[in-house]
Amino acid sequence: RREQLEKIAPAIVEMGCFDRVETNGGGFEQINLLFGENPNEAVRAWTKPLQEAGIQTHMLERALNGIRMSPVPADVRKLMFQVKKQQGTDIARSFDGLNDPRNIIDSIQYAKEGGMISQAALSLTYSEVHTVDYYVDLADQFIQAGADEICLKDMAGIARPAWLGNITFILWLSLLFQFSF
């Protein structure tokens, strides 16, 4: 709830160990709504001390669904990123549980147009289809679409450490060679 967020934000600042804090998105805002609170006011109150301390804030965004659980029209999604930036949110972490680039690429553009850092998430799972090459290719599509950052999102906790290491290493190498020339 808002009052809890307002109490914890200064403690996070005092700890001095955070560069980024997740501050809003579907989960946060649903809780505010359940308690009869205005999530927009809660986000502003929660992010204010973090912003003043220079801590970047980020939100989780469900791509085609925005911060809801059902599809949202493009004009509303564009406005959402503008509003979230004005409320004090710096980074939009966009994900699609099915990893459909068509759903995430628009969010990359909308976040950037709204003045936010665009972080595209690779929703990880492990199968014969979901290989290291699959995720490296997906990351490349997001980078080509303008994503500022790539996030490895292990929603189910099933990713294997060596496998994650391989994905990270290949992405690091591709960035290293892309920017060294």
Side-chain angles (χ1 to χ4, degrees):
R1 295 188 340 242
R2 177 182 171 165
E3 71 181 47
Q4 294 167 317
L5 293 169
E6 287 178 312
K7 286 180 184 176
I8 197 67
I12 290 172
V13 171
E14 288 174 25
M15 291 168 74
C17 61
F18 292 97
D19 289 326
R20 295 178 172 189
V21 175
E22 184 171 340
T23 54
N24 62 306
F28 280 87
E29 297 183 10
Q30 293 301 315
I31 292 168
N32 295 135
L33 290 169
L34 286 172
F35 281 95
E37 298 178 341
N38 181 331
N40 297 317
E41 292 174 4
V43 168
R44 286 186 201 103
W46 166 222
T47 60
K48 187 176 187 293
L50 301 171
Q51 292 286 317
E52 289 172 351
I55 297 172
Q56 288 184 313
T57 61
H58 66 90
M59 66 178 228
L60 186 60
E61 185 261 336
R62 293 182 180 93
L64 182 62
N65 295 339
I67 57 174
R68 298 175 12 162
M69 298 300 283
S70 58
V72 177
D75 59 337
V76 174
R77 289 173 61 209
K78 288 179 182 180
L79 181 61
M80 176 195 70
F81 288 105
Q82 295 169 3
V83 169
K84 292 300 177 189
K85 178 60 178 171
Q86 289 177 358
Q87 288 176 340
T89 306
D90 302 301
I91 305 161
R93 175 181 290 166
S94 301
F95 84 100
D96 177 71
L98 298 175
N99 287 316
D100 188 335
R102 296 172 297 181
N103 294 338
I104 298 176
I105 288 172
D106 286 345
S107 289
I108 292 168
Q109 297 305 318
Y110 300 160
K112 293 174 81 74
E113 289 169 11
M116 299 176 82
I117 295 168
S118 174
Q119 185 183 91
L122 309 176
S123 296
L124 302 173
T125 192
Y126 193 80
S127 75
E128 291 179 15
V129 173
H130 300 91
T131 63
V132 169
D133 289 339
Y134 169 88
Y135 286 108
V136 169
D137 178 61
L138 187 61
D140 187 52
Q141 290 179 59
F142 295 154
I143 292 166
Q144 295 302 319
D148 298 302
E149 301 176 355
I150 299 295
C151 167
L152 302 178
K153 184 173 177 56
D154 187 10
M155 299 186 320
I158 60 172
R160 291 155 169 82
W163 182 72
L164 289 172
N166 288 338
I167 293 170
T168 304
F169 183 69
I170 292 168
L171 291 175
W172 176 77
L173 280 177
S174 70
L175 289 173
L176 178 68
F177 288 110
Q178 179 181 357
F179 294 115
S180 65
F181 299 106

